[in-house]
Amino acid sequence: MSEPRRGQSAATSSAADRGPDEVVLAEGVHKFFGTFEVLRGICCSIRRGEVVVIIGPSGAGKSTFLRCINGLEPFQQGDIMVGGYRLKDPKTDIHRVRSEVGMVFQRFNLFSHRTALENVIEGPVYVRRTPRQAAIDQGLELLRKVGLEARAHSYPSRLSGGEQQRVAIARALAMNPKVMLFDEPTSSLDPELVGEVLGVMRQLAEEGMTMIVVTHQMAFAREVADRVIFMDGGVIIEENQTSVLFSAPENQRTRAFVAKILST
């Protein structure tokens, strides 16, 4: 079995070697929880308009990596650049970075005391200082985009899980993000509700949204992703174009994982 790839060389991962279309660049990222090293030198890049899917077993560090990109988790070594901002730079306003990164979690994290529309306009009104009526107009348009304009004044408790997740996607889009991060967005949904959320994500991909998606939905990955990253044990084992990684993975560990997950 070949050794896991711990990241690219300094020469290939240098920001100086990247073009203007780079949206996310991770350079040798190490993350510890106490003495346990969750991420062990992650290096990767995502360009504008790309859809990159991250797969791997539970505990591989996939969700932790997304949270590091969004500034929700600090990391101890390396750096991440998001939209030109370096997260390790003390002059970087992490709140500004978060406002430009849309995040959709496993759980919907909607405000239960606010309607769908109120959830969507929260960020634009209170963070972007968008005039309320303009935010409402945009919010209704985004709810229409995800097929929920008719539920604009419904509270989360009156929405299905799939509807709540679509509201969460609209809420993230309301901030006009440079990149959307999806952390297993369908894992808490009943099987019959998964399709409606994946349908919205397919639409975003077709429209050119930059997306990083952690998912176990392999059919979605094969259909939508430009590239797939396979992680295990806190490292990137293999990264390749979607068709290549699923049909002819180079690493033995990747081959075993892909064979198992595609057979279930």
Side-chain angles (χ1 to χ4, degrees):
M1 178 176 179
S2 60
E3 288 297 314
R5 180 164 67 88
R6 291 182 63 87
Q8 301 158 330
S9 67
T12 59
S13 64
S14 170
D17 296 330
R18 302 298 178 177
D21 287 339
E22 206 78 46
V23 177
V24 176
L25 173 63
E27 298 176 304
V29 177
H30 292 256
K31 164 68 181 176
F32 291 83
F33 287 122
T35 60
F36 179 62
E37 191 174 12
V38 183
L39 301 178
R40 300 160 48 206
I42 298 294
C43 293
C44 69
S45 64
I46 289 86
R47 294 185 180 278
R48 183 177 294 110
E50 272 195 308
V51 178
V52 176
V53 168
I54 304 177
I55 64 174
S58 297
K62 308 182 299 296
S63 295
T64 299
F65 180 47
L66 285 193
R67 293 175 67 84
C68 287
I69 293 173
N70 203 29
L72 294 174
E73 288 284 355
F75 49 93
Q76 285 69 45
Q77 297 177 35
D79 205 351
I80 298 176
M81 185 170 66
V82 180
Y85 296 97
R86 287 196 170 274
L87 300 192
K88 278 294 188 181
D89 187 339
K91 298 189 294 294
T92 294
D93 182 352
I94 193 62
H95 300 292
R96 172 72 178 272
V97 174
R98 287 175 186 160
S99 72
E100 297 184 357
V101 179
M103 184 85 178
V104 179
F105 300 88
Q106 297 178 32
R107 293 290 178 179
F108 324 119
N109 295 336
L110 299 178
F111 294 112
S112 61
H113 63 292
R114 297 186 183 277
T115 65
L117 179 60
E118 288 168 343
N119 269 278
V120 172
I121 70 173
E122 179 90 4
V125 170
Y126 295 104
V127 178
R128 299 280 195 196
R129 303 299 180 186
T130 303
R132 187 173 183 83
Q133 187 56 53
I136 289 173
D137 292 342
Q138 179 197 36
L140 289 172
E141 180 58 35
L142 287 171
L143 287 173
R144 185 179 303 116
K145 183 185 187 73
V146 299
L148 290 174
E149 184 184 19
R151 307 303 299 269
H153 302 294
S154 297
Y155 288 91
S157 62
R158 305 305 298 267
L159 302 175
S160 70
E163 289 173 333
Q164 290 186 61
Q165 193 64 294
R166 284 186 282 158
V167 172
I169 293 173
R171 178 181 59 183
L173 291 172
M175 297 296 285
N176 297 312
K178 293 181 177 178
V179 57
M180 287 282 288
L181 310 180
F182 293 87
D183 185 10
E184 299 192 21
T186 62
S187 64
S188 62
L189 299 179
D190 293 333
E192 65 269 21
L193 301 178
V194 169
E196 59 190 49
V197 174
L198 294 182
V200 172
M201 295 171 65
R202 286 189 187 93
Q203 179 183 351
L204 294 178
E206 290 170 0
E207 294 172 354
M209 173 62 72
T210 308
M211 298 163 59
I212 308 175
V213 183
V214 171
T215 185
H216 292 296
Q217 298 289 334
M218 293 301 104
F220 171 82
R222 296 177 81 168
E223 177 187 350
V224 176
D226 297 298
R227 286 187 291 127
V228 174
I229 293 173
F230 173 58
M231 288 182 63
D232 194 11
V235 301
I236 293 178
I237 302 292
E238 189 168 344
E239 174 184 356
N240 215 325
Q241 293 180 347
T242 305
S243 59
V244 175
L245 189 135
F246 280 121
S247 63
E250 298 175 358
N251 188 278
Q252 181 180 339
R253 177 70 185 95
T254 312
R255 288 197 296 271
F257 180 84
V258 169
K260 181 177 180 179
I261 202 162
L262 291 182
S263 65
T264 57

